[in-house]
Amino acid sequence: MGLFSKSLVAASSKPLILGILQEGTSYGYRIIQRVKEISNGQIEWSDGMLYPVLHRLEKEVLIESKWMQSEEGRHRKYYSITEAGKEALHVEKAHWTNMNNVMQNLWDLNPSTSNN
Amino acid sequence: MGLFSKSLVAASSKPLILGILQEGTSYGYRIIQRVKEISNGQIEWSDGMLYPVLHRLEKEVLIESKWMQSEEGRHRKYYSITEAGKEALHVEKAHWTNMNNVMQNLWDLNPSTSNN
DNA sequence: ACTTTTACATAGATTATCAATGTATATAAT
DNA sequence: ATTATATACATTGATAATCTATGTAAAAGT
């Protein structure tokens, strides 16, 4: 479906969601739009993919939810990041950055020269 | 066990292995050592984790193997990257770099200030 | 002789997305 | 009014992928 491989989506979903909720409280549908925004349209999550992840993160107490009525009268489940979630985001950032450094090191050692 | 999450390991194993084989022909045991080297000891793969991945990549014809006798007389299965594998590595690099840019963008928007 | 390291393989458990489907409300268009 | 579209959340079933544990075996070091 998307541009990215399943495993890359899996590895990025947790830090992305936590990062977005660090910006402030949000809800499922809005998170999907925000992911599309910050990726310049590259990442298009489906709702069937997102909600199970949100439920998992809530079970891990990294985020918490509250049903609320918006001004327009819409019934929405608003998520916010917990203290544990902030710490987890910190750790996720570090892991991601470390792994990225390893990759870049390896690739710099043998830069691909051909254009295929 | 390892420092990194399962999903991050999953997302990185393919480009790491392809990148290492781009350096030249190698074999299972040696690849595990190489991964530890280039990660400064951060990534320690188990053999039970690596071999299924090698088999999968071979099935996808991104790498190919040949049983060979080393000078010491050791019986080893040597893997090398295929043309399709080189192309796949190219794509993997691009995807990884794109995803990394998305992450860095998001994180730069809300830098974590606290020290926990 | 014995232990450690090297070397490959697989079965079973666990974990995770993803596509498909269902429900429901609000808004815009006809 | 009626229809269509966008908004909004949820779950089931299929699929895929690692990880632990276990097995086999040869070479090298002690």
Side-chain angles (χ1 to χ4, degrees):
Chain A
M1 223 261 306
L3 284 171
F4 300 98
S5 70
K6 242 183 226 206
S7 55
L8 198 51
V9 171
S12 59
S13 61
K14 186 172 174 177
L16 275 181
I17 291 172
L18 291 179
I20 286 171
L21 291 183
Q22 179 105 316
E23 296 177 328
T25 296
S26 189
Y27 55 94
Y29 200 86
R30 183 77 189 88
I31 292 173
I32 291 175
Q33 296 176 316
R34 186 84 185 102
V35 165
K36 192 175 176 182
E37 273 173 31
I38 59 177
S39 69
N40 289 317
Q42 286 185 96
I43 307 177
E44 292 195 55
W45 283 352
S46 66
D47 51 355
M49 172 269 187
L50 175 64
Y51 291 117
V53 180
L54 287 176
H55 297 161
R56 179 169 61 82
L57 293 181
E58 188 171 21
K59 212 162 110 189
E60 294 174 19
V61 203
L62 303 181
I63 63 178
E64 55 190 9
S65 68
K66 201 164 25 169
W67 280 102
M68 274 165 50
Q69 212 84 9
S70 73
E71 291 141 24
E72 320 102 88
R74 256 205 181 282
H75 192 54
R76 292 191 190 119
K77 199 173 188 178
Y78 286 87
Y79 287 93
S80 49
I81 193 168
T82 64
E83 278 308 312
K86 289 179 188 173
E87 289 175 41
L89 176 56
H90 222 77
V91 172
E92 288 284 329
K93 275 192 200 181
H95 284 182
W96 183 274
T97 304
N98 277 348
M99 186 61 85
N100 189 55
N101 288 339
V102 171
M103 294 280 188
Q104 300 301 332
N105 271 344
L106 174 62
W107 294 339
D108 287 350
L109 289 176
N110 357 280
S112 43
T113 50
S114 63
N115 54 346
N116 50 339
Chain B
M1 216 259 309
L3 284 171
F4 301 97
S5 70
K6 241 184 224 205
S7 55
L8 198 51
V9 171
S12 59
S13 61
K14 187 171 175 177
L16 276 180
I17 292 172
L18 291 179
I20 287 171
L21 291 182
Q22 178 108 314
E23 296 178 328
T25 296
S26 189
Y27 55 94
Y29 200 85
R30 182 81 190 86
I31 291 174
I32 291 175
Q33 297 177 316
R34 187 83 187 103
V35 165
K36 191 174 175 183
E37 271 174 32
I38 60 178
S39 70
N40 290 316
Q42 286 185 98
I43 306 176
E44 292 195 55
W45 282 352
S46 65
D47 50 355
M49 173 269 188
L50 176 64
Y51 291 118
V53 180
L54 287 175
H55 297 161
R56 178 168 62 82
L57 293 181
E58 188 171 20
K59 212 160 110 189
E60 294 175 18
V61 203
L62 303 182
I63 63 177
E64 55 191 10
S65 68
K66 202 166 24 173
W67 280 101
M68 275 165 51
Q69 212 84 9
S70 71
E71 293 141 22
E72 320 102 270
R74 254 201 183 284
H75 194 54
R76 292 191 190 119
K77 199 171 187 178
Y78 286 87
Y79 286 92
S80 48
I81 192 168
T82 65
E83 277 308 312
K86 289 179 189 174
E87 289 175 41
L89 176 56
H90 223 76
V91 172
E92 289 284 330
K93 275 191 201 183
H95 283 182
W96 182 274
T97 304
N98 277 348
M99 187 60 85
N100 189 55
N101 288 339
V102 172
M103 294 278 189
Q104 300 301 332
N105 271 345
L106 174 61
W107 294 338
D108 287 350
L109 288 177
N110 357 281
S112 43
T113 49
S114 66
N115 54 345
N116 49 338

PDB file of all heavy atoms in Angstrom, chain B residues 22-51:
ATOM      1  N   GLN B  22      27.274  -5.887   0.574  1.00  0.00           N
ATOM      2  CA  GLN B  22      27.767  -4.970  -0.463  1.00  0.00           C
ATOM      3  C   GLN B  22      29.281  -4.769  -0.291  1.00  0.00           C
ATOM      4  O   GLN B  22      29.998  -4.500  -1.264  1.00  0.00           O
ATOM      5  CB  GLN B  22      27.030  -3.630  -0.359  1.00  0.00           C
ATOM      6  CG  GLN B  22      27.495  -2.597  -1.355  1.00  0.00           C
ATOM      7  CD  GLN B  22      26.468  -2.360  -2.454  1.00  0.00           C
ATOM      8  OE1 GLN B  22      25.905  -3.282  -3.033  1.00  0.00           O
ATOM      9  NE2 GLN B  22      26.203  -1.110  -2.725  1.00  0.00           N
ATOM     10  N   GLU B  23      29.748  -4.929   0.944  1.00  0.00           N
ATOM     11  CA  GLU B  23      31.193  -4.816   1.210  1.00  0.00           C
ATOM     12  C   GLU B  23      31.949  -5.985   0.591  1.00  0.00           C
ATOM     13  O   GLU B  23      33.150  -5.902   0.358  1.00  0.00           O
ATOM     14  CB  GLU B  23      31.460  -4.824   2.718  1.00  0.00           C
ATOM     15  CG  GLU B  23      30.888  -3.640   3.475  1.00  0.00           C
ATOM     16  CD  GLU B  23      31.142  -3.743   4.970  1.00  0.00           C
ATOM     17  OE1 GLU B  23      31.188  -4.872   5.508  1.00  0.00           O
ATOM     18  OE2 GLU B  23      31.297  -2.711   5.609  1.00  0.00           O
ATOM     19  N   GLY B  24      31.234  -7.097   0.408  1.00  0.00           N
ATOM     20  CA  GLY B  24      31.864  -8.293  -0.132  1.00  0.00           C
ATOM     21  C   GLY B  24      31.211  -9.536   0.445  1.00  0.00           C
ATOM     22  O   GLY B  24      30.431  -9.471   1.391  1.00  0.00           O
ATOM     23  N   THR B  25      31.534 -10.677  -0.166  1.00  0.00           N
ATOM     24  CA  THR B  25      30.979 -11.960   0.268  1.00  0.00           C
ATOM     25  C   THR B  25      31.274 -12.218   1.742  1.00  0.00           C
ATOM     26  O   THR B  25      32.346 -11.881   2.228  1.00  0.00           O
ATOM     27  CB  THR B  25      31.582 -13.082  -0.595  1.00  0.00           C
ATOM     28  OG1 THR B  25      31.168 -12.890  -1.941  1.00  0.00           O
ATOM     29  CG2 THR B  25      31.121 -14.447  -0.114  1.00  0.00           C
ATOM     30  N   SER B  26      30.294 -12.787   2.444  1.00  0.00           N
ATOM     31  CA  SER B  26      30.489 -13.114   3.852  1.00  0.00           C
ATOM     32  C   SER B  26      29.612 -14.300   4.235  1.00  0.00           C
ATOM     33  O   SER B  26      28.933 -14.866   3.380  1.00  0.00           O
ATOM     34  CB  SER B  26      30.175 -11.900   4.725  1.00  0.00           C
ATOM     35  OG  SER B  26      30.547 -12.134   6.060  1.00  0.00           O
ATOM     36  N   TYR B  27      29.662 -14.678   5.495  1.00  0.00           N
ATOM     37  CA  TYR B  27      28.839 -15.810   5.948  1.00  0.00           C
ATOM     38  C   TYR B  27      28.237 -15.490   7.306  1.00  0.00           C
ATOM     39  O   TYR B  27      28.649 -14.530   7.971  1.00  0.00           O
ATOM     40  CB  TYR B  27      29.673 -17.081   6.012  1.00  0.00           C
ATOM     41  CG  TYR B  27      30.916 -16.968   6.862  1.00  0.00           C
ATOM     42  CD1 TYR B  27      30.911 -17.351   8.191  1.00  0.00           C
ATOM     43  CD2 TYR B  27      32.093 -16.480   6.317  1.00  0.00           C
ATOM     44  CE1 TYR B  27      32.051 -17.237   8.967  1.00  0.00           C
ATOM     45  CE2 TYR B  27      33.236 -16.354   7.082  1.00  0.00           C
ATOM     46  CZ  TYR B  27      33.214 -16.732   8.414  1.00  0.00           C
ATOM     47  OH  TYR B  27      34.343 -16.619   9.181  1.00  0.00           O
ATOM     48  N   GLY B  28      27.244 -16.277   7.701  1.00  0.00           N
ATOM     49  CA  GLY B  28      26.437 -16.023   8.872  1.00  0.00           C
ATOM     50  C   GLY B  28      27.187 -15.541  10.096  1.00  0.00           C
ATOM     51  O   GLY B  28      26.949 -14.435  10.593  1.00  0.00           O
ATOM     52  N   TYR B  29      28.066 -16.382  10.555  1.00  0.00           N
ATOM     53  CA  TYR B  29      28.789 -16.071  11.791  1.00  0.00           C
ATOM     54  C   TYR B  29      29.537 -14.746  11.693  1.00  0.00           C
ATOM     55  O   TYR B  29      29.533 -13.932  12.618  1.00  0.00           O
ATOM     56  CB  TYR B  29      29.767 -17.197  12.117  1.00  0.00           C
ATOM     57  CG  TYR B  29      30.199 -17.237  13.548  1.00  0.00           C
ATOM     58  CD1 TYR B  29      29.436 -17.899  14.507  1.00  0.00           C
ATOM     59  CD2 TYR B  29      31.363 -16.594  13.961  1.00  0.00           C
ATOM     60  CE1 TYR B  29      29.818 -17.934  15.831  1.00  0.00           C
ATOM     61  CE2 TYR B  29      31.748 -16.628  15.284  1.00  0.00           C
ATOM     62  CZ  TYR B  29      30.986 -17.293  16.215  1.00  0.00           C
ATOM     63  OH  TYR B  29      31.370 -17.319  17.526  1.00  0.00           O
ATOM     64  N   ARG B  30      30.166 -14.536  10.550  1.00  0.00           N
ATOM     65  CA  ARG B  30      30.955 -13.319  10.324  1.00  0.00           C
ATOM     66  C   ARG B  30      30.058 -12.081  10.259  1.00  0.00           C
ATOM     67  O   ARG B  30      30.448 -10.996  10.717  1.00  0.00           O
ATOM     68  CB  ARG B  30      31.739 -13.463   9.011  1.00  0.00           C
ATOM     69  CG  ARG B  30      32.647 -12.309   8.662  1.00  0.00           C
ATOM     70  CD  ARG B  30      33.970 -12.366   9.394  1.00  0.00           C
ATOM     71  NE  ARG B  30      34.740 -11.119   9.227  1.00  0.00           N
ATOM     72  CZ  ARG B  30      34.592 -10.035   9.989  1.00  0.00           C
ATOM     73  NH1 ARG B  30      33.725 -10.030  10.977  1.00  0.00           N
ATOM     74  NH2 ARG B  30      35.319  -8.950   9.768  1.00  0.00           N
ATOM     75  N   ILE B  31      28.866 -12.245   9.708  1.00  0.00           N
ATOM     76  CA  ILE B  31      27.932 -11.120   9.611  1.00  0.00           C
ATOM     77  C   ILE B  31      27.528 -10.636  10.999  1.00  0.00           C
ATOM     78  O   ILE B  31      27.460  -9.433  11.261  1.00  0.00           O
ATOM     79  CB  ILE B  31      26.677 -11.530   8.793  1.00  0.00           C
ATOM     80  CG1 ILE B  31      27.061 -11.734   7.319  1.00  0.00           C
ATOM     81  CG2 ILE B  31      25.584 -10.477   8.905  1.00  0.00           C
ATOM     82  CD1 ILE B  31      25.942 -12.278   6.452  1.00  0.00           C
ATOM     83  N   ILE B  32      27.305 -11.595  11.898  1.00  0.00           N
ATOM     84  CA  ILE B  32      26.947 -11.240  13.270  1.00  0.00           C
ATOM     85  C   ILE B  32      28.059 -10.414  13.924  1.00  0.00           C
ATOM     86  O   ILE B  32      27.799  -9.411  14.592  1.00  0.00           O
ATOM     87  CB  ILE B  32      26.666 -12.519  14.094  1.00  0.00           C
ATOM     88  CG1 ILE B  32      25.384 -13.181  13.598  1.00  0.00           C
ATOM     89  CG2 ILE B  32      26.554 -12.196  15.573  1.00  0.00           C
ATOM     90  CD1 ILE B  32      25.071 -14.509  14.250  1.00  0.00           C
ATOM     91  N   GLN B  33      29.292 -10.837  13.689  1.00  0.00           N
ATOM     92  CA  GLN B  33      30.423 -10.090  14.246  1.00  0.00           C
ATOM     93  C   GLN B  33      30.525  -8.697  13.635  1.00  0.00           C
ATOM     94  O   GLN B  33      30.795  -7.711  14.321  1.00  0.00           O
ATOM     95  CB  GLN B  33      31.724 -10.849  13.984  1.00  0.00           C
ATOM     96  CG  GLN B  33      31.795 -12.201  14.646  1.00  0.00           C
ATOM     97  CD  GLN B  33      33.077 -12.936  14.285  1.00  0.00           C
ATOM     98  OE1 GLN B  33      33.480 -12.958  13.125  1.00  0.00           O
ATOM     99  NE2 GLN B  33      33.724 -13.530  15.274  1.00  0.00           N
ATOM    100  N   ARG B  34      30.300  -8.634  12.338  1.00  0.00           N
ATOM    101  CA  ARG B  34      30.399  -7.351  11.623  1.00  0.00           C
ATOM    102  C   ARG B  34      29.351  -6.369  12.125  1.00  0.00           C
ATOM    103  O   ARG B  34      29.643  -5.176  12.285  1.00  0.00           O
ATOM    104  CB  ARG B  34      30.232  -7.595  10.117  1.00  0.00           C
ATOM    105  CG  ARG B  34      30.482  -6.382   9.259  1.00  0.00           C
ATOM    106  CD  ARG B  34      31.947  -6.144   8.962  1.00  0.00           C
ATOM    107  NE  ARG B  34      32.187  -4.887   8.266  1.00  0.00           N
ATOM    108  CZ  ARG B  34      32.663  -3.774   8.841  1.00  0.00           C
ATOM    109  NH1 ARG B  34      32.985  -3.795  10.121  1.00  0.00           N
ATOM    110  NH2 ARG B  34      32.839  -2.671   8.142  1.00  0.00           N
ATOM    111  N   VAL B  35      28.131  -6.879  12.356  1.00  0.00           N
ATOM    112  CA  VAL B  35      27.071  -6.019  12.870  1.00  0.00           C
ATOM    113  C   VAL B  35      27.464  -5.461  14.232  1.00  0.00           C
ATOM    114  O   VAL B  35      27.260  -4.280  14.524  1.00  0.00           O
ATOM    115  CB  VAL B  35      25.746  -6.807  12.980  1.00  0.00           C
ATOM    116  CG1 VAL B  35      24.739  -6.064  13.827  1.00  0.00           C
ATOM    117  CG2 VAL B  35      25.171  -7.054  11.593  1.00  0.00           C
ATOM    118  N   LYS B  36      28.083  -6.304  15.052  1.00  0.00           N
ATOM    119  CA  LYS B  36      28.529  -5.842  16.366  1.00  0.00           C
ATOM    120  C   LYS B  36      29.627  -4.775  16.217  1.00  0.00           C
ATOM    121  O   LYS B  36      29.625  -3.773  16.929  1.00  0.00           O
ATOM    122  CB  LYS B  36      29.048  -7.038  17.183  1.00  0.00           C
ATOM    123  CG  LYS B  36      29.276  -6.701  18.641  1.00  0.00           C
ATOM    124  CD  LYS B  36      29.657  -7.916  19.462  1.00  0.00           C
ATOM    125  CE  LYS B  36      29.998  -7.518  20.893  1.00  0.00           C
ATOM    126  NZ  LYS B  36      30.437  -8.682  21.701  1.00  0.00           N
ATOM    127  N   GLU B  37      30.513  -5.014  15.259  1.00  0.00           N
ATOM    128  CA  GLU B  37      31.597  -4.053  14.997  1.00  0.00           C
ATOM    129  C   GLU B  37      31.072  -2.671  14.625  1.00  0.00           C
ATOM    130  O   GLU B  37      31.400  -1.679  15.271  1.00  0.00           O
ATOM    131  CB  GLU B  37      32.459  -4.547  13.827  1.00  0.00           C
ATOM    132  CG  GLU B  37      33.612  -5.456  14.189  1.00  0.00           C
ATOM    133  CD  GLU B  37      34.289  -5.981  12.916  1.00  0.00           C
ATOM    134  OE1 GLU B  37      34.311  -5.253  11.898  1.00  0.00           O
ATOM    135  OE2 GLU B  37      34.768  -7.128  12.948  1.00  0.00           O
ATOM    136  N   ILE B  38      30.263  -2.643  13.548  1.00  0.00           N
ATOM    137  CA  ILE B  38      29.843  -1.347  13.025  1.00  0.00           C
ATOM    138  C   ILE B  38      28.870  -0.621  13.954  1.00  0.00           C
ATOM    139  O   ILE B  38      28.661   0.571  13.809  1.00  0.00           O
ATOM    140  CB  ILE B  38      29.201  -1.455  11.616  1.00  0.00           C
ATOM    141  CG1 ILE B  38      27.972  -2.351  11.659  1.00  0.00           C
ATOM    142  CG2 ILE B  38      30.202  -1.968  10.606  1.00  0.00           C
ATOM    143  CD1 ILE B  38      27.274  -2.453  10.331  1.00  0.00           C
ATOM    144  N   SER B  39      28.324  -1.350  14.922  1.00  0.00           N
ATOM    145  CA  SER B  39      27.425  -0.699  15.875  1.00  0.00           C
ATOM    146  C   SER B  39      28.149  -0.401  17.190  1.00  0.00           C
ATOM    147  O   SER B  39      27.511  -0.023  18.178  1.00  0.00           O
ATOM    148  CB  SER B  39      26.212  -1.581  16.133  1.00  0.00           C
ATOM    149  OG  SER B  39      26.579  -2.722  16.870  1.00  0.00           O
ATOM    150  N   ASN B  40      29.449  -0.584  17.191  1.00  0.00           N
ATOM    151  CA  ASN B  40      30.237  -0.384  18.424  1.00  0.00           C
ATOM    152  C   ASN B  40      29.686  -1.201  19.585  1.00  0.00           C
ATOM    153  O   ASN B  40      29.569  -0.702  20.701  1.00  0.00           O
ATOM    154  CB  ASN B  40      30.286   1.102  18.787  1.00  0.00           C
ATOM    155  CG  ASN B  40      31.128   1.887  17.831  1.00  0.00           C
ATOM    156  OD1 ASN B  40      32.220   1.459  17.447  1.00  0.00           O
ATOM    157  ND2 ASN B  40      30.623   3.033  17.395  1.00  0.00           N
ATOM    158  N   GLY B  41      29.345  -2.422  19.286  1.00  0.00           N
ATOM    159  CA  GLY B  41      28.889  -3.336  20.336  1.00  0.00           C
ATOM    160  C   GLY B  41      27.440  -3.150  20.744  1.00  0.00           C
ATOM    161  O   GLY B  41      26.942  -3.843  21.621  1.00  0.00           O
ATOM    162  N   GLN B  42      26.752  -2.221  20.092  1.00  0.00           N
ATOM    163  CA  GLN B  42      25.359  -1.950  20.484  1.00  0.00           C
ATOM    164  C   GLN B  42      24.404  -3.040  20.000  1.00  0.00           C
ATOM    165  O   GLN B  42      23.418  -3.338  20.663  1.00  0.00           O
ATOM    166  CB  GLN B  42      24.913  -0.614  19.909  1.00  0.00           C
ATOM    167  CG  GLN B  42      25.504   0.582  20.618  1.00  0.00           C
ATOM    168  CD  GLN B  42      24.920   1.880  20.061  1.00  0.00           C
ATOM    169  OE1 GLN B  42      24.002   2.465  20.612  1.00  0.00           O
ATOM    170  NE2 GLN B  42      25.447   2.305  18.932  1.00  0.00           N
ATOM    171  N   ILE B  43      24.680  -3.574  18.815  1.00  0.00           N
ATOM    172  CA  ILE B  43      23.774  -4.572  18.254  1.00  0.00           C
ATOM    173  C   ILE B  43      24.414  -5.953  18.325  1.00  0.00           C
ATOM    174  O   ILE B  43      25.453  -6.207  17.704  1.00  0.00           O
ATOM    175  CB  ILE B  43      23.431  -4.255  16.791  1.00  0.00           C
ATOM    176  CG1 ILE B  43      22.896  -2.827  16.673  1.00  0.00           C
ATOM    177  CG2 ILE B  43      22.419  -5.249  16.244  1.00  0.00           C
ATOM    178  CD1 ILE B  43      22.617  -2.406  15.245  1.00  0.00           C
ATOM    179  N   GLU B  44      23.800  -6.844  19.082  1.00  0.00           N
ATOM    180  CA  GLU B  44      24.312  -8.211  19.178  1.00  0.00           C
ATOM    181  C   GLU B  44      23.237  -9.184  18.711  1.00  0.00           C
ATOM    182  O   GLU B  44      22.379  -9.587  19.475  1.00  0.00           O
ATOM    183  CB  GLU B  44      24.741  -8.520  20.618  1.00  0.00           C
ATOM    184  CG  GLU B  44      25.946  -7.727  21.064  1.00  0.00           C
ATOM    185  CD  GLU B  44      26.576  -8.298  22.333  1.00  0.00           C
ATOM    186  OE1 GLU B  44      26.915  -9.497  22.349  1.00  0.00           O
ATOM    187  OE2 GLU B  44      26.705  -7.552  23.316  1.00  0.00           O
ATOM    188  N   TRP B  45      23.343  -9.579  17.450  1.00  0.00           N
ATOM    189  CA  TRP B  45      22.367 -10.510  16.898  1.00  0.00           C
ATOM    190  C   TRP B  45      22.668 -11.931  17.333  1.00  0.00           C
ATOM    191  O   TRP B  45      23.833 -12.333  17.482  1.00  0.00           O
ATOM    192  CB  TRP B  45      22.409 -10.454  15.369  1.00  0.00           C
ATOM    193  CG  TRP B  45      21.706  -9.260  14.800  1.00  0.00           C
ATOM    194  CD1 TRP B  45      20.937  -8.359  15.476  1.00  0.00           C
ATOM    195  CD2 TRP B  45      21.711  -8.842  13.430  1.00  0.00           C
ATOM    196  NE1 TRP B  45      20.462  -7.411  14.602  1.00  0.00           N
ATOM    197  CE2 TRP B  45      20.908  -7.681  13.365  1.00  0.00           C
ATOM    198  CE3 TRP B  45      22.286  -9.345  12.267  1.00  0.00           C
ATOM    199  CZ2 TRP B  45      20.692  -7.011  12.163  1.00  0.00           C
ATOM    200  CZ3 TRP B  45      22.059  -8.669  11.077  1.00  0.00           C
ATOM    201  CH2 TRP B  45      21.274  -7.524  11.023  1.00  0.00           C
ATOM    202  N   SER B  46      21.612 -12.699  17.511  1.00  0.00           N
ATOM    203  CA  SER B  46      21.774 -14.133  17.768  1.00  0.00           C
ATOM    204  C   SER B  46      21.711 -14.854  16.425  1.00  0.00           C
ATOM    205  O   SER B  46      21.149 -14.343  15.463  1.00  0.00           O
ATOM    206  CB  SER B  46      20.665 -14.630  18.692  1.00  0.00           C
ATOM    207  OG  SER B  46      19.417 -14.530  18.048  1.00  0.00           O
ATOM    208  N   ASP B  47      22.296 -16.040  16.392  1.00  0.00           N
ATOM    209  CA  ASP B  47      22.282 -16.784  15.134  1.00  0.00           C
ATOM    210  C   ASP B  47      20.867 -17.244  14.783  1.00  0.00           C
ATOM    211  O   ASP B  47      20.478 -17.221  13.624  1.00  0.00           O
ATOM    212  CB  ASP B  47      23.257 -17.966  15.181  1.00  0.00           C
ATOM    213  CG  ASP B  47      23.062 -18.815  16.422  1.00  0.00           C
ATOM    214  OD1 ASP B  47      22.246 -18.435  17.293  1.00  0.00           O
ATOM    215  OD2 ASP B  47      23.723 -19.857  16.525  1.00  0.00           O
ATOM    216  N   GLY B  48      20.113 -17.592  15.809  1.00  0.00           N
ATOM    217  CA  GLY B  48      18.736 -18.028  15.591  1.00  0.00           C
ATOM    218  C   GLY B  48      17.873 -16.932  14.994  1.00  0.00           C
ATOM    219  O   GLY B  48      16.825 -17.198  14.398  1.00  0.00           O
ATOM    220  N   MET B  49      18.327 -15.688  15.152  1.00  0.00           N
ATOM    221  CA  MET B  49      17.606 -14.565  14.573  1.00  0.00           C
ATOM    222  C   MET B  49      18.088 -14.311  13.140  1.00  0.00           C
ATOM    223  O   MET B  49      17.298 -14.020  12.242  1.00  0.00           O
ATOM    224  CB  MET B  49      17.836 -13.324  15.444  1.00  0.00           C
ATOM    225  CG  MET B  49      17.289 -12.040  14.862  1.00  0.00           C
ATOM    226  SD  MET B  49      18.528 -11.197  13.844  1.00  0.00           S
ATOM    227  CE  MET B  49      17.711  -9.644  13.523  1.00  0.00           C
ATOM    228  N   LEU B  50      19.385 -14.455  12.922  1.00  0.00           N
ATOM    229  CA  LEU B  50      19.957 -14.116  11.615  1.00  0.00           C
ATOM    230  C   LEU B  50      19.601 -15.101  10.503  1.00  0.00           C
ATOM    231  O   LEU B  50      19.197 -14.692   9.415  1.00  0.00           O
ATOM    232  CB  LEU B  50      21.477 -14.025  11.716  1.00  0.00           C
ATOM    233  CG  LEU B  50      22.188 -13.778  10.373  1.00  0.00           C
ATOM    234  CD1 LEU B  50      21.806 -12.437   9.785  1.00  0.00           C
ATOM    235  CD2 LEU B  50      23.695 -13.892  10.536  1.00  0.00           C
ATOM    236  N   TYR B  51      19.751 -16.391  10.781  1.00  0.00           N
ATOM    237  CA  TYR B  51      19.615 -17.370   9.692  1.00  0.00           C
ATOM    238  C   TYR B  51      18.257 -17.334   8.998  1.00  0.00           C
ATOM    239  O   TYR B  51      18.204 -17.375   7.766  1.00  0.00           O
ATOM    240  CB  TYR B  51      19.969 -18.771  10.199  1.00  0.00           C
ATOM    241  CG  TYR B  51      21.444 -18.900  10.503  1.00  0.00           C
ATOM    242  CD1 TYR B  51      21.897 -19.171  11.780  1.00  0.00           C
ATOM    243  CD2 TYR B  51      22.392 -18.719   9.501  1.00  0.00           C
ATOM    244  CE1 TYR B  51      23.264 -19.265  12.057  1.00  0.00           C
ATOM    245  CE2 TYR B  51      23.751 -18.807   9.767  1.00  0.00           C
ATOM    246  CZ  TYR B  51      24.186 -19.086  11.054  1.00  0.00           C
ATOM    247  OH  TYR B  51      25.517 -19.166  11.312  1.00  0.00           O
TER     248      TYR B  51
END
